[in-house]
Amino acid sequence: MSTTSTTSTALPKAPDTRTSSEADQRPRRRLGPGWFLVSPSVALLLLWMLVPLSMTLYFSVIRYNLLYPGENDFVGLENFHYFLTDAGFMPGMTNTLILVGSVLLISVVLGVLISALLEAADFAGRGIVRVLLISPFFIMPTVSALVWKNLIYHPVSGILAAVWKFFGAQPVDWLAQHPLASIVIIVSWQWLPFAILILMTAMQSLDQEQKEAARLDGAGPIAIFWHLTLPHLARPIAVVVMIETIFLLSVFAEIFTTTSGGPGYASTNLAYLIYTQALLQFDVGMASAGGLIAVVIANIAAIILVRMLGKNLTEKY
Protein backbone atom coordinates (compact mmCIF):
# COMPACT_ATOMS: atom_id res chain seq x y z
CA MET A 1 0.00 0.00 0.00
CA SER A 2 2.77 2.37 0.86
CA THR A 3 4.54 1.62 -2.40
CA THR A 4 1.38 2.23 -4.40
CA SER A 5 0.64 5.50 -2.66
CA THR A 6 4.20 6.68 -3.16
CA THR A 7 4.07 5.86 -6.87
CA SER A 8 0.69 7.54 -7.30
CA THR A 9 1.91 10.71 -5.66
CA ALA A 10 5.13 10.75 -7.64
CA LEU A 11 3.57 10.24 -11.09
CA PRO A 12 1.77 13.59 -11.39
CA LYS A 13 4.98 15.48 -10.59
CA ALA A 14 6.92 14.15 -13.59
CA PRO A 15 5.03 16.13 -16.27
CA ASP A 16 5.31 19.32 -14.22
CA THR A 17 9.08 18.91 -13.94
CA ARG A 18 9.47 18.41 -17.72
CA THR A 19 7.21 21.33 -18.52
CA SER A 20 9.10 23.70 -16.27
CA SER A 21 12.45 22.62 -17.70
CA GLU A 22 11.20 23.14 -21.24
CA ALA A 23 9.85 26.54 -20.24
CA ASP A 24 13.25 27.45 -18.82
CA GLN A 25 15.03 26.36 -22.00
CA ARG A 26 12.83 28.31 -24.43
CA PRO A 27 14.20 31.79 -23.61
CA ARG A 28 17.74 30.44 -23.90
CA ARG A 29 17.02 29.08 -27.40
CA ARG A 30 15.55 32.35 -28.55
CA LEU A 31 18.53 34.33 -27.29
CA GLY A 32 21.10 31.84 -28.53
CA PRO A 33 23.92 32.59 -30.98
CA GLY A 34 21.76 31.53 -33.94
CA TRP A 35 19.57 34.59 -33.48
CA PHE A 36 22.56 36.93 -33.70
CA LEU A 37 23.83 35.13 -36.80
CA VAL A 38 20.49 35.48 -38.57
CA SER A 39 19.78 39.07 -37.50
CA PRO A 40 22.03 40.78 -40.15
CA SER A 41 20.24 39.06 -43.02
CA VAL A 42 16.85 39.79 -41.47
CA ALA A 43 17.79 43.45 -41.03
CA LEU A 44 18.99 43.63 -44.64
CA LEU A 45 15.72 42.11 -45.90
CA LEU A 46 13.72 44.57 -43.80
CA LEU A 47 15.68 47.49 -45.25
CA TRP A 48 15.31 46.04 -48.74
CA MET A 49 11.53 46.03 -48.21
CA LEU A 50 10.93 49.06 -46.02
CA VAL A 51 12.99 51.64 -47.94
CA PRO A 52 11.09 51.30 -51.27
CA LEU A 53 7.80 50.99 -49.42
CA SER A 54 8.50 54.13 -47.40
CA MET A 55 9.45 56.06 -50.55
CA THR A 56 6.28 54.85 -52.28
CA LEU A 57 4.20 55.97 -49.31
CA TYR A 58 5.92 59.37 -49.38
CA PHE A 59 5.40 59.90 -53.11
CA SER A 60 1.76 58.80 -52.88
CA VAL A 61 0.80 61.69 -50.59
CA ILE A 62 2.56 64.50 -52.46
CA ARG A 63 2.06 66.07 -55.89
CA TYR A 64 5.11 64.63 -57.66
CA ASN A 65 5.00 65.04 -61.43
CA LEU A 66 8.23 64.96 -63.42
CA LEU A 67 6.86 67.61 -65.78
CA TYR A 68 6.51 70.02 -62.85
CA PRO A 69 9.56 69.32 -60.64
CA GLY A 70 9.06 72.32 -58.38
CA GLU A 71 5.55 71.37 -57.21
CA ASN A 72 5.86 68.87 -54.37
CA ASP A 73 2.96 69.92 -52.17
CA PHE A 74 1.30 67.58 -49.72
CA VAL A 75 -2.04 66.38 -51.16
CA GLY A 76 -3.07 63.62 -48.76
CA LEU A 77 -5.30 61.00 -50.39
CA GLU A 78 -5.82 62.99 -53.58
CA ASN A 79 -3.59 60.69 -55.65
CA PHE A 80 -5.55 57.65 -54.48
CA HIS A 81 -8.81 59.34 -55.44
CA TYR A 82 -7.53 60.23 -58.90
CA PHE A 83 -6.21 56.72 -59.50
CA LEU A 84 -9.44 55.03 -58.38
CA THR A 85 -11.55 57.36 -60.53
CA ASP A 86 -9.24 57.15 -63.54
CA ALA A 87 -10.85 55.91 -66.74
CA GLY A 88 -8.44 52.99 -66.94
CA PHE A 89 -8.85 51.68 -63.37
CA MET A 90 -12.01 49.60 -63.80
CA PRO A 91 -10.93 48.12 -67.18
CA GLY A 92 -7.50 47.40 -65.70
CA MET A 93 -8.98 45.75 -62.63
CA THR A 94 -11.39 43.68 -64.73
CA ASN A 95 -8.69 42.63 -67.16
CA THR A 96 -6.42 41.64 -64.26
CA LEU A 97 -9.08 39.38 -62.77
CA ILE A 98 -9.91 37.87 -66.18
CA LEU A 99 -6.23 37.29 -66.95
CA VAL A 100 -5.45 35.66 -63.60
CA GLY A 101 -8.59 33.50 -63.55
CA SER A 102 -8.26 32.36 -67.18
CA VAL A 103 -4.59 31.44 -66.91
CA LEU A 104 -5.18 29.57 -63.64
CA LEU A 105 -8.06 27.61 -65.17
CA ILE A 106 -6.13 26.73 -68.31
CA SER A 107 -2.89 25.81 -66.54
CA VAL A 108 -4.56 23.69 -63.83
CA VAL A 109 -7.00 21.82 -66.10
CA LEU A 110 -4.55 21.17 -68.93
CA GLY A 111 -1.74 20.52 -66.44
CA VAL A 112 -3.73 17.79 -64.70
CA LEU A 113 -4.85 16.18 -67.99
CA ILE A 114 -1.43 16.30 -69.64
CA SER A 115 0.30 14.98 -66.51
CA ALA A 116 -2.23 12.16 -66.20
CA LEU A 117 -1.78 11.20 -69.86
CA LEU A 118 2.01 11.20 -69.56
CA GLU A 119 1.85 9.10 -66.42
CA ALA A 120 -0.57 6.59 -67.94
CA ALA A 121 1.06 6.30 -71.37
CA ASP A 122 4.19 4.25 -71.91
CA PHE A 123 5.97 5.03 -75.18
CA ALA A 124 9.45 5.53 -76.49
CA GLY A 125 10.77 9.05 -75.99
CA ARG A 126 8.53 9.93 -73.06
CA GLY A 127 11.47 11.63 -71.33
CA ILE A 128 12.04 13.87 -74.36
CA VAL A 129 8.36 14.81 -74.40
CA ARG A 130 8.55 15.77 -70.72
CA VAL A 131 11.53 18.04 -71.37
CA LEU A 132 9.78 19.68 -74.33
CA LEU A 133 6.66 20.30 -72.26
CA ILE A 134 8.61 21.94 -69.45
CA SER A 135 11.00 23.99 -71.62
CA PRO A 136 8.67 27.01 -72.32
CA PHE A 137 8.77 27.86 -68.63
CA PHE A 138 12.48 28.74 -68.92
CA ILE A 139 11.98 31.20 -71.79
CA MET A 140 12.01 34.88 -70.83
CA PRO A 141 8.56 36.54 -71.04
CA THR A 142 9.76 39.19 -73.49
CA VAL A 143 11.23 36.58 -75.84
CA SER A 144 8.11 34.41 -75.78
CA ALA A 145 5.90 37.47 -76.38
CA LEU A 146 8.02 38.44 -79.41
CA VAL A 147 7.79 34.89 -80.77
CA TRP A 148 4.02 34.84 -80.46
CA LYS A 149 3.67 38.36 -81.86
CA ASN A 150 5.87 37.95 -84.95
CA LEU A 151 5.74 34.23 -85.74
CA ILE A 152 2.25 33.15 -84.68
CA TYR A 153 -0.13 36.11 -84.34
CA HIS A 154 1.17 38.23 -87.23
CA PRO A 155 -1.74 38.78 -89.67
CA VAL A 156 0.50 38.55 -92.76
CA SER A 157 3.43 36.25 -92.05
CA GLY A 158 2.26 34.41 -88.93
CA ILE A 159 1.54 30.70 -88.63
CA LEU A 160 -2.13 31.28 -87.85
CA ALA A 161 -2.45 33.53 -90.90
CA ALA A 162 -0.99 30.76 -93.07
CA VAL A 163 -3.49 28.26 -91.65
CA TRP A 164 -6.39 30.65 -92.30
CA LYS A 165 -5.23 31.21 -95.89
CA PHE A 166 -4.83 27.48 -96.44
CA PHE A 167 -8.52 26.97 -95.66
CA GLY A 168 -9.52 29.99 -97.72
CA ALA A 169 -10.41 32.23 -94.77
CA GLN A 170 -9.43 35.80 -94.04
CA PRO A 171 -6.50 36.02 -91.56
CA VAL A 172 -7.30 37.49 -88.17
CA ASP A 173 -5.28 40.25 -86.53
CA TRP A 174 -5.35 38.64 -83.10
CA LEU A 175 -3.57 41.35 -81.14
CA ALA A 176 -5.90 44.03 -82.51
CA GLN A 177 -9.22 42.17 -82.57
CA HIS A 178 -8.77 39.84 -79.58
CA PRO A 179 -6.00 41.47 -77.49
CA LEU A 180 -6.88 40.12 -74.03
CA ALA A 181 -7.49 36.59 -75.28
CA SER A 182 -4.13 36.71 -77.07
CA ILE A 183 -2.39 37.77 -73.85
CA VAL A 184 -4.14 34.97 -71.95
CA ILE A 185 -2.88 32.39 -74.45
CA ILE A 186 0.69 33.69 -74.28
CA VAL A 187 0.79 33.72 -70.47
CA SER A 188 -0.91 30.31 -70.28
CA TRP A 189 1.73 28.89 -72.63
CA GLN A 190 4.41 30.20 -70.28
CA TRP A 191 2.87 28.94 -67.00
CA LEU A 192 1.40 25.63 -68.15
CA PRO A 193 4.85 23.95 -67.98
CA PHE A 194 5.16 24.98 -64.32
CA ALA A 195 1.86 23.28 -63.50
CA ILE A 196 2.88 20.20 -65.48
CA LEU A 197 6.21 20.02 -63.63
CA ILE A 198 4.59 20.20 -60.17
CA LEU A 199 1.70 17.86 -60.98
CA MET A 200 3.81 15.33 -62.88
CA THR A 201 6.23 15.13 -59.96
CA ALA A 202 3.33 14.64 -57.55
CA MET A 203 1.87 11.84 -59.67
CA GLN A 204 5.10 9.89 -59.45
CA SER A 205 4.60 9.68 -55.67
CA LEU A 206 1.15 8.11 -56.02
CA ASP A 207 0.94 4.65 -54.50
CA GLN A 208 0.85 2.23 -57.41
CA GLU A 209 -0.51 -0.59 -55.26
CA GLN A 210 -3.76 1.33 -54.80
CA LYS A 211 -4.11 1.71 -58.55
CA GLU A 212 -3.44 -1.99 -59.12
CA ALA A 213 -5.99 -2.90 -56.43
CA ALA A 214 -8.54 -0.61 -58.08
CA ARG A 215 -7.92 -2.25 -61.46
CA LEU A 216 -8.38 -5.69 -59.93
CA ASP A 217 -11.69 -4.53 -58.47
CA GLY A 218 -12.85 -3.53 -61.94
CA ALA A 219 -12.27 0.23 -61.84
CA GLY A 220 -11.67 1.89 -65.19
CA PRO A 221 -9.20 4.66 -66.05
CA ILE A 222 -11.75 7.42 -65.44
CA ALA A 223 -12.74 6.04 -62.03
CA ILE A 224 -9.08 5.66 -61.01
CA PHE A 225 -8.36 9.23 -62.11
CA TRP A 226 -11.40 10.65 -60.32
CA HIS A 227 -11.14 8.75 -57.03
CA LEU A 228 -7.36 8.23 -56.68
CA THR A 229 -5.33 10.57 -58.87
CA LEU A 230 -7.34 13.76 -58.44
CA PRO A 231 -7.56 13.63 -54.60
CA HIS A 232 -3.82 12.92 -54.51
CA LEU A 233 -3.22 16.13 -56.52
CA ALA A 234 -5.17 18.40 -54.16
CA ARG A 235 -2.11 19.81 -52.42
CA PRO A 236 0.02 20.22 -55.59
CA ILE A 237 -2.89 22.03 -57.26
CA ALA A 238 -3.13 24.35 -54.25
CA VAL A 239 0.59 25.10 -54.54
CA VAL A 240 0.26 25.83 -58.27
CA VAL A 241 -2.70 28.15 -57.74
CA MET A 242 -1.03 30.11 -54.94
CA ILE A 243 2.33 30.58 -56.69
CA GLU A 244 0.86 31.42 -60.09
CA THR A 245 -1.60 33.92 -58.64
CA ILE A 246 1.23 35.89 -57.01
CA PHE A 247 3.12 36.21 -60.30
CA LEU A 248 0.10 36.64 -62.59
CA LEU A 249 -1.05 39.74 -60.72
CA SER A 250 2.08 41.51 -61.98
CA VAL A 251 2.10 40.46 -65.66
CA PHE A 252 3.72 43.27 -67.62
CA ALA A 253 6.30 42.22 -70.24
CA GLU A 254 3.80 40.33 -72.40
CA ILE A 255 1.44 43.31 -72.57
CA PHE A 256 4.22 45.84 -73.14
CA THR A 257 5.76 43.78 -75.96
CA THR A 258 2.58 42.87 -77.85
CA THR A 259 -0.41 45.22 -77.40
CA SER A 260 0.88 48.09 -75.23
CA GLY A 261 -2.36 47.85 -73.28
CA GLY A 262 -4.55 48.57 -76.30
CA PRO A 263 -6.62 49.04 -78.23
CA GLY A 264 -7.69 51.60 -75.67
CA TYR A 265 -7.79 49.77 -72.35
CA ALA A 266 -8.76 46.42 -73.86
CA SER A 267 -5.61 44.62 -72.63
CA THR A 268 -4.49 46.95 -69.82
CA ASN A 269 -4.05 45.42 -66.37
CA LEU A 270 -3.15 47.15 -63.11
CA ALA A 271 0.58 46.67 -63.57
CA TYR A 272 0.55 48.24 -67.02
CA LEU A 273 -1.75 51.04 -65.85
CA ILE A 274 0.74 51.95 -63.11
CA TYR A 275 3.50 51.93 -65.73
CA THR A 276 1.58 54.34 -67.96
CA GLN A 277 0.99 56.73 -65.06
CA ALA A 278 4.65 56.72 -63.99
CA LEU A 279 6.65 56.58 -67.22
CA LEU A 280 4.24 57.80 -69.92
CA GLN A 281 2.33 60.52 -68.04
CA PHE A 282 5.22 61.18 -65.61
CA ASP A 283 2.85 61.31 -62.62
CA VAL A 284 4.94 59.51 -60.00
CA GLY A 285 2.61 60.42 -57.15
CA MET A 286 -0.44 58.89 -58.80
CA ALA A 287 1.56 55.83 -59.87
CA SER A 288 2.80 55.36 -56.30
CA ALA A 289 -0.79 55.46 -55.06
CA GLY A 290 -1.70 52.87 -57.69
CA GLY A 291 1.19 50.68 -56.60
CA LEU A 292 -0.02 50.73 -53.00
CA ILE A 293 -3.54 49.85 -54.14
CA ALA A 294 -2.12 46.95 -56.14
CA VAL A 295 -0.21 45.76 -53.05
CA VAL A 296 -3.42 45.83 -51.00
CA ILE A 297 -5.29 43.87 -53.68
CA ALA A 298 -2.49 41.30 -53.86
CA ASN A 299 -2.53 40.86 -50.08
CA ILE A 300 -6.31 40.41 -50.08
CA ALA A 301 -6.00 37.77 -52.79
CA ALA A 302 -3.21 36.03 -50.85
CA ILE A 303 -5.29 35.95 -47.65
CA ILE A 304 -8.29 34.52 -49.50
CA LEU A 305 -6.14 31.87 -51.18
CA VAL A 306 -4.45 30.88 -47.94
CA ARG A 307 -7.80 30.44 -46.20
CA MET A 308 -9.38 28.58 -49.11
CA LEU A 309 -6.44 26.39 -50.06
CA GLY A 310 -4.51 26.24 -46.79
CA LYS A 311 -6.42 23.17 -45.67
CA ASN A 312 -5.10 21.21 -48.63
CA LEU A 313 -1.54 22.08 -47.59
CA THR A 314 -2.02 20.80 -44.03
CA GLU A 315 -4.32 17.83 -44.45
CA LYS A 316 -2.81 14.37 -44.27
CA TYR A 317 -4.04 11.74 -46.62
Side-chain angles (χ1 to χ4, degrees):
M1 292 295 292
S2 61
T3 305
T4 306
S5 61
T6 305
T7 305
S8 61
T9 55
L11 285 176
K13 295 181 180 179
D16 296 334
T17 305
R18 296 187 189 126
T19 305
S20 60
S21 63
E22 291 176 358
D24 294 338
Q25 290 178 0
R26 286 175 185 173
R28 296 177 183 175
R29 292 176 182 176
R30 292 177 181 176
L31 299 177
W35 188 87
F36 295 100
L37 293 175
V38 174
S39 57
S41 60
V42 174
L44 181 61
L45 288 175
L46 286 175
L47 289 175
W48 189 270
M49 179 186 67
L50 291 177
V51 171
L53 182 60
S54 301
M55 295 179 64
T56 305
L57 286 170
Y58 171 72
F59 289 135
S60 66
V61 295
I62 65 173
R63 183 180 289 107
Y64 192 79
N65 194 310
L66 298 179
L67 297 177
Y68 308 99
E71 299 180 4
N72 297 329
D73 302 332
F74 177 79
V75 295
L77 300 179
E78 184 177 318
N79 289 323
F80 294 90
H81 173 72
Y82 285 152
F83 185 82
L84 292 174
T85 57
D86 187 78
F89 175 73
M90 287 307 298
M93 186 69 186
T94 304
N95 292 336
T96 301
L97 295 177
I98 294 174
L99 177 63
V100 173
S102 301
V103 174
L104 285 177
L105 181 64
I106 293 172
S107 60
V108 170
V109 173
L110 291 183
V112 170
L113 294 178
I114 293 174
S115 301
L117 289 175
L118 282 176
E119 186 66 21
D122 188 9
F123 57 92
R126 187 169 63 171
I128 299 176
V129 173
R130 289 177 177 175
V131 174
L132 292 176
L133 286 172
I134 297 172
S135 58
F137 182 66
F138 301 101
I139 299 177
M140 290 182 292
T142 305
V143 176
S144 63
L146 287 173
V147 169
W148 279 86
K149 178 182 180 180
N150 297 316
L151 298 181
I152 300 178
Y153 284 147
H154 199 280
V156 177
S157 58
I159 295 175
L160 294 179
V163 174
W164 258 240
K165 292 177 182 178
F166 178 80
F167 288 101
Q170 183 68 25
V172 178
D173 190 354
W174 291 92
L175 295 176
Q177 299 178 16
H178 310 284
L180 187 58
S182 303
I183 298 296
V184 168
I185 294 174
I186 295 174
V187 179
S188 299
W189 181 78
Q190 294 174 357
W191 282 97
L192 178 59
F194 174 76
I196 293 175
L197 177 63
I198 300 296
L199 298 174
M200 192 166 51
T201 305
M203 283 188 179
Q204 294 178 358
S205 64
L206 180 62
D207 190 2
Q208 299 298 322
E209 294 181 357
Q210 293 182 356
K211 297 175 67 173
E212 292 297 332
R215 291 192 186 98
L216 293 175
D217 290 337
I222 297 178
I224 293 175
F225 172 78
W226 186 260
H227 295 286
L228 289 179
T229 305
L230 204 56
H232 179 74
L233 295 178
R235 279 190 284 183
I237 290 175
V239 172
V240 170
V241 171
M242 293 180 66
I243 294 178
E244 287 193 6
T245 301
I246 294 172
F247 286 94
L248 292 176
L249 288 171
S250 59
V251 169
F252 172 78
E254 297 84 350
I255 298 174
F256 177 80
T257 307
T258 56
T259 63
S260 297
Y265 296 109
S267 60
T268 298
N269 64 345
L270 285 181
Y272 193 82
L273 181 62
I274 294 170
Y275 160 77
T276 59
Q277 295 292 341
L279 297 179
L280 297 183
Q281 300 182 18
F282 304 104
D283 195 343
V284 179
M286 188 172 172
S288 300
L292 293 176
I293 293 173
V295 169
V296 172
I297 294 173
N299 286 323
I300 293 174
I303 292 172
I304 294 174
L305 286 174
V306 167
R307 291 190 175 183
M308 290 177 58
L309 305 176
K311 295 180 179 180
N312 291 330
L313 297 176
T314 57
E315 286 180 353
K316 295 182 180 180
Y317 295 99

